[in-house]
Amino acid sequence: MSEKFDVIVIGAGPAGYVAAIRAAQLGLKTACVDAFVGKDGKQALGGTCLNVGCIPSKALLDSSKQFYNIAHNLPVHGITVEGAKVDLGTFIGRKDKIVKQFTGGIGQLFKANKVTPFFGKGKLLKNNEVEITGNDGAKQTISATNVILASGSVPIELPFAKFDNKFIVDNAGALDFTDVPKRLGVIGAGVIGLELGSVWKRLGSDVTVLEALPDFLSVADADIAKIAFKEFGKLGLNIKLGAKLTKAEIKGNEVALTYEDKDGAHEVTVDKLLVAVGRRAYTDGLLAADTGVKLDERGRIVVDEHNHTGVNGVWAIGDAVRGPMLAHKGSEEGVAVAEWIAGKAGHINLDTVPWVIYTEPEIAWAGKTEKQLKDEGIPYKVGTFPFAAIGRAVAMNEAIGQVKMLAHAETDRILGVHMVGPGVSELIAECVVAMEFKGSSEDLARIVHAHPTLSEAVHEAALSVDKRAIHKGN
Ligand code: FAD
Ligand code: AMP
């Protein structure tokens, strides 16, 4: 007889491990199966996010920012430092230590919450049985009343630029370079390409980003994308728009790239190539043929608004299903599904999921862009406020960018907030709270914001919706 659980979660990324902990908190006997192998060859819980995504990229972004600031920001404050150097071993080692701390932390949280971890590849069989194949090939089967699929995503590989993990790398490779590449090519000006491109640019790489689409960062609001594009240019990122990579050939110790734009074919040679053209839901080997779980045209697990697959007791969450591929979106789906399973009122609102890009300046938004409102024929008002008029931002020498708020023309309900500038990764939270409570721009305008803080830009943008910003002309 196979061991029986109330809940089995397949995948221990931010979607799966959070679902498992919440299910266990609710008194359900819970197992979590994960196959991720860390740098030390042992099981590493936490999925893409903790091992090769959110956490390590932020660690390197922060380290590289410290280094960049020495030459580019400190002199303005009257501080000069001669001979600053980066020791790449320490730089990468710090990141690895943080990763280990957090992946190990999940093991401890599992222990504290009595979640049983299994190390191996999980496959859903029919009748909610899960076959686990260990690294040594040994198989065991467990079963549960409910199975939550949280198998995440993997990088998309271009057929003409296959990863060799030495010269042509994915996100994991670009987090572990052993030397600063003299010339780095980045394919795709999406979130991952921009963040990792920034890391290596700040350390001195000559970075060329090729983006097939003619518009920069088309997921973001166009005004915000325009400001960001200009700022990234100042950092020295060479971003070529409407430039589609068509060939990448490793020649000796270099990679020869061919890309096409409106003027025809061009060639560029780089020392390393990061391919960051998006991620695909990962379901390889996850489902036996007779489970009844369906995939959509993009290979994502089909779910309803409650993350249920339509197969009795089988749910799916995170990057493996529709919606933005963001850690916090998956985590909140995990909590909601655990609560639905326990008969409670789970909640997830995909309309207020915040997006953050941790570049310099940072970009953050929630809700609809101005273009989306126009396309959908929704009447709106706009309020904006520049960080150049925010005392704290000027004192920090980071007075770049703006907050843009979009509110319904008649009801004043906040429909979207878009920001580029200092600390906006934190500022967006206030707007998400307001939007989740169906707040209006007037609600934010009437709330006292501490002075001098960056949050005053949100306050002033809210005032500006009604043409009554204090510190700028309306
Ligand atoms: P994953 O994190 O991909 O985890 C899935 C886990 O399931 C993995 O451990 C995998 O090995 C395991 N698995 C898969 N199939 C099986 C199976 N059959 N059996 C056993 N185990 C299996 N998001 C943010 O919100 N903020 C950020 O700053 C951010 N930065 C990022 C930076 C980079 C470089 C990258 C690559 C991604 C970043 N993301 C960020 C995205 C974020 O990492 C993902 O949205 C998130 O990890 C998805 O969580 P998940 O649990 O759905 O899947
Ligand atoms: P994201 O999905 O946010 O990670 O962004 C990936 C980006 O890669 C998208 O903006 C795509 O347009 C871009 N992209 C995809 N294929 C190519 C290609 N062959 N050359 C250049 N850019 C590409």
Side-chain angles (χ1 to χ4, degrees):
M1 263 285 282
S2 65
E3 189 175 1
K4 174 113 197 192
F5 291 86
D6 294 319
V7 177
I8 299 171
V9 184
I10 302 182
Y17 85 73
V18 169
I21 290 173
R22 185 68 188 124
Q25 280 176 350
L26 291 165
L28 300 164
K29 185 183 173 196
T30 305
C32 186
V33 186
D34 195 276
F36 202 100
V37 182
K39 272 183 155 183
D40 57 3
K42 297 192 182 133
Q43 180 173 34
L45 299 168
T48 303
C49 173
L50 267 65
N51 286 287
V52 289
C54 326
I55 298 300
S57 61
K58 264 79 260 178
L60 296 192
L61 277 160
D62 206 65
S63 295
S64 61
K65 185 173 153 184
Q66 306 275 6
F67 177 67
Y68 183 83
N69 281 350
I70 290 172
H72 296 89
N73 231 336
L74 294 191
V76 180
H77 295 268
I79 304 164
T80 47
V81 179
E82 302 288 332
K85 281 196 302 250
V86 173
D87 174 59
L88 205 57
T90 309
F91 181 92
I92 299 288
R94 188 188 86 98
K95 178 265 294 180
D96 288 342
K97 216 168 133 195
I98 294 168
V99 167
K100 196 135 185 57
Q101 178 188 337
F102 279 84
T103 56
I106 295 182
Q108 285 162 16
L109 288 171
F110 276 1
K111 218 176 249 166
N113 287 284
K114 301 195 172 52
V115 173
T116 309
F118 286 87
F119 185 15
K121 178 108 184 154
K123 180 180 202 169
L124 178 69
L125 311 177
K126 67 175 186 209
N127 299 326
N128 296 359
E129 286 199 316
V130 173
E131 178 190 80
I132 304 167
T133 308
N135 276 6
D136 55 0
K139 288 189 194 296
Q140 61 178 313
T141 303
I142 56 177
S143 64
T145 315
N146 287 280
V147 177
I148 305 175
L149 306 172
S151 52
S153 63
V154 288
I156 292 174
E157 189 169 49
L158 294 172
F160 46 85
K162 287 204 177 286
F163 300 121
D164 75 334
N165 284 326
K166 193 165 174 221
F167 294 103
I168 304 181
V169 302
D170 59 9
N171 53 293
L175 288 163
D176 267 339
F177 287 145
T178 46
D179 295 296
V180 177
K182 207 165 160 319
R183 297 160 302 176
L184 173 66
V186 178
I187 310 305
V191 179
I192 295 169
L194 290 171
E195 289 188 359
L196 295 180
S198 297
V199 166
W200 297 104
K201 176 69 214 169
R202 291 172 190 164
L203 297 195
S205 291
D206 192 356
V207 179
T208 304
V209 184
L210 303 180
E211 168 54 56
L213 295 176
D215 293 325
F216 179 63
L217 215 55
S218 50
V219 283
D221 187 88
D223 288 340
I224 299 301
K226 201 168 148 194
I227 297 169
F229 186 74
K230 214 168 112 197
E231 292 301 327
F232 297 157
K234 285 189 203 159
L235 172 70
L237 284 178
N238 179 11
I239 304 172
K240 295 183 188 297
L241 299 175
K244 190 171 174 5
L245 181 79
T246 53
K247 196 167 148 194
E249 238 184 316
I250 300 167
K251 289 183 180 168
N253 279 337
E254 300 180 331
V255 193
L257 311 181
T258 308
Y259 69 91
E260 282 168 18
D261 64 13
K262 58 179 179 14
D263 302 320
H266 307 267
E267 285 184 8
V268 188
T269 303
V270 295
D271 301 297
K272 301 274 182 195
L273 180 67
L274 162 62
V275 178
V277 294
R279 297 177 63 84
R280 65 170 174 88
Y282 178 66
T283 56
D284 301 4
L286 177 70
L287 305 165
D290 54 359
T291 61
V293 174
K294 291 194 181 63
L295 303 182
D296 69 13
E297 70 295 345
R298 289 171 59 185
R300 301 174 300 191
I301 300 167
V302 174
V303 288
D304 64 15
E305 70 280 14
H306 286 135
N307 290 81
H308 195 262
T309 63
V311 174
N312 195 19
V314 182
W315 313 72
I317 56 178
D319 280 11
V321 306
R322 85 285 177 263
M325 286 186 167
L326 293 167
H328 41 284
K329 174 264 192 184
S331 298
E332 293 310 316
E333 285 178 327
V335 169
V337 166
E339 292 181 352
W340 284 319
I341 288 172
K344 295 194 171 298
H347 167 85
I348 169 91
N349 179 5
L350 293 182
D351 292 339
T352 54
V353 174
W355 286 69
V356 177
I357 309 180
Y358 298 81
T359 43
E360 197 63 21
E362 292 182 343
I363 301 168
W365 73 89
K368 296 198 189 278
T369 62
E370 190 167 354
K371 181 172 183 308
Q372 283 170 330
L373 294 178
K374 271 192 189 134
D375 291 348
E376 292 171 30
I378 299 170
Y380 63 91
K381 303 177 280 186
V382 187
T384 59
F385 198 82
F387 282 102
I390 293 293
R392 185 78 195 280
V394 175
M396 291 161 68
N397 192 39
E398 292 186 41
I400 290 165
Q402 66 168 34
V403 175
K404 171 173 173 179
M405 193 171 292
L406 300 161
H408 195 283
E410 286 133 30
T411 65
D412 191 36
R413 182 169 164 182
I414 303 169
L415 302 173
V417 186
H418 306 268
M419 311 176 177
V420 54
V424 298
S425 56
E426 303 292 340
L427 296 186
I428 195 67
E430 171 184 12
C431 303
V432 173
V433 172
M435 289 168 72
E436 191 62 37
F437 289 168
K438 301 184 171 47
S440 62
S441 78
E442 188 179 358
D443 288 328
L444 284 185
R446 286 185 183 278
I447 290 172
V448 183
H449 288 71
H451 174 75
T453 61
L454 299 173
S455 73
E456 288 173 291
V458 175
H459 187 220
E460 288 271 15
L463 286 163
S464 154
V465 170
D466 212 19
K467 306 243 172 301
R468 55 191 173 109
I470 301 295
H471 296 92
K472 72 161 199 172
N474 286 289

